[in-house]
Amino acid sequence: MDSAKLLQSGKVTFRKMTLDDIPDIMVIELESFTLPWSEEAFRSEMTLNHFARYLVMEYEGKPIGYAGMWTVLDEAHVTNIAVRTAYRGHHLGECLFRKMMDWAVQLGMRRMTLEVRVTNYSAQAMYRKLGFHSVGTRKGYYSDNDEDALIMWCELPERELEEGEEEGSEEDWI
Ligand SMILES: CC(C)(COP(=O)(O)OP(=O)(O)OC[C@H]1O[C@@H](n2cnc3c(N)ncnc32)[C@H](O)[C@@H]1OP(=O)(O)O)[C@@H](O)C(=O)NCCC(=O)NCCS
């Protein structure tokens, strides 16, 4: 699988998450995390949290990954990202994350931050590749094994506004 060819062919696509996606998202969630979010948590994010933005990546119309963030003032805080195990290692997670970074820029965000398990080396490598650097740890952040979280930050590129366009506009971001 070549991610560039998959994107070009239109087989891999991106769109905003809806409530109807939750069953598919739960499959990805359960195979990806030892502390998975519940269906209710996703529902609440999409219906009650005005800061929350979630993106779905599809392969031939079927969700294979998702990513989310909270956009507060000019900072985007990544909540989660996961790709179905069968689709990992083909630069699709990277494409998904780049898409979310583009969305954050489109919304006028200047910085992005996230927490990642100190032992999650593959995710850390992806974040570093995309411009993140670590600034410290949160002790015992993960309640299942008391593992520390690495805190990472990235400065986002400045967005050039089209004439007459207002910052924060979501139009045509995808
Ligand atoms: C993290 C995750 C989204 C990455 O998606 P992916 O499609 O497998 O990753 P990609 O193929 O796009 O790889 C992008 C980069 O990540 C890093 N990476 C990915 N898999 C890696 C591995 N097994 N070992 C080391 N680095 C790895 C590399 O830097 C890679 O770029 P490169 O191949 O040019 O060196 C995916 O592994 C996943 O869903 N993991 C479980 C959930 C999770 O841990 N989420 C992060 C929570 S903070």
Side-chain angles (χ1 to χ4, degrees):
M1 269 195 282
D2 175 333
S3 60
K5 279 191 188 149
L6 287 173
L7 293 176
Q8 230 171 10
S9 69
K11 283 187 174 177
V12 172
T13 51
F14 302 89
R15 59 172 175 77
K16 291 178 196 174
M17 191 186 288
T18 69
L19 289 172
D20 290 341
D21 289 317
I22 291 179
D24 288 321
I25 299 307
M26 285 309 295
V27 173
I28 303 170
E29 184 73 7
L30 291 168
E31 70 178 22
S32 299
F33 296 110
T34 50
L35 278 176
W37 281 16
S38 63
E39 286 192 24
E40 196 43 49
F42 283 105
R43 192 166 294 115
S44 145
E45 283 287 271
M46 273 183 281
T47 53
L48 301 174
N49 185 349
H50 297 299
F51 300 116
R53 322 264 172 177
Y54 284 85
L55 190 55
V56 172
M57 175 169 64
E58 292 184 318
Y59 181 80
E60 295 186 329
K62 184 81 184 156
I64 58 160
Y66 78 94
M69 62 182 169
W70 293 348
T71 53
V72 183
L73 299 175
D74 60 0
E75 291 181 358
H77 191 137
V78 178
T79 55
N80 36 27
I81 173 166
V83 171
R84 287 216 65 170
T85 46
Y87 291 85
R88 289 182 195 162
H90 301 283
H91 293 120
L92 290 173
E94 182 179 330
C95 291
L96 171 62
F97 202 81
R98 284 187 192 278
K99 201 78 188 170
M100 197 164 69
M101 291 173 87
D102 288 349
W103 193 7
V105 170
Q106 181 78 17
L107 290 164
M109 299 298 113
R110 302 276 191 240
R111 284 167 291 281
M112 207 165 199
T113 185
L114 55 85
E115 286 91 13
V116 55
R117 286 178 190 263
V118 289
T119 58
N120 193 348
Y121 305 114
S122 46
Q124 287 172 32
M126 180 176 79
Y127 299 140
R128 287 207 169 86
K129 185 177 177 186
L130 296 177
F132 283 76
H133 60 277
S134 54
V135 296
T137 54
R138 292 192 206 284
K139 293 281 165 210
Y141 187 74
Y142 298 98
S143 60
D144 57 336
N145 62 353
D146 211 27
E147 187 172 348
D148 296 348
L150 202 62
I151 306 163
M152 302 186 88
W153 280 91
C154 170
E155 294 296 319
L156 293 169
E158 205 157 316
R159 178 174 175 232
E160 287 174 24
L161 295 176
E162 306 280 329
E163 205 176 310
E165 191 185 359
E166 285 180 28
E167 190 158 302
S169 150
E170 285 188 54
E171 274 177 47
D172 297 334
W173 72 273
I174 203 162

